Amino acid sequence: MKEVPAVIFTIVCLFVTAVAVVTVISLYRRDARNSRRISDEGSEFLETFETAPPRRSED
């Protein structure tokens, strides 16, 4: 009978570990996706200056 609580404890620990691993992976993927989006937006922003006509000097 003493083995039953140990087995339940082991199963609960494995479940909690699995949930933690899935959470960390999903957070990593979300962060990577957000970083990629921010990088793409920055690239688009810089492209607007590359294609803009040069400014005239006020001589």
Side-chain angles (χ1 to χ4, degrees):
M1 287 301 276
K2 291 183 179 180
E3 294 177 3
V4 173
V7 171
I8 293 173
F9 178 75
T10 303
I11 292 171
V12 169
C13 287
L14 289 173
F15 178 74
V16 169
T17 302
V19 169
V21 167
V22 169
T23 302
V24 167
I25 290 171
S26 65
L27 290 174
Y28 173 78
R29 292 181 67 197
R30 185 183 71 181
D31 185 53
R33 192 168 42 249
N34 287 340
S35 296
R36 196 174 316 113
R37 179 184 54 81
I38 291 169
S39 177
D40 291 345
E41 289 175 0
S43 295
E44 291 173 8
F45 178 74
L46 291 176
E47 285 174 3
T48 60
F49 292 105
E50 292 172 356
T51 58
R55 293 183 179 180
R56 293 185 181 180
S57 61
E58 300 288 330
D59 288 336

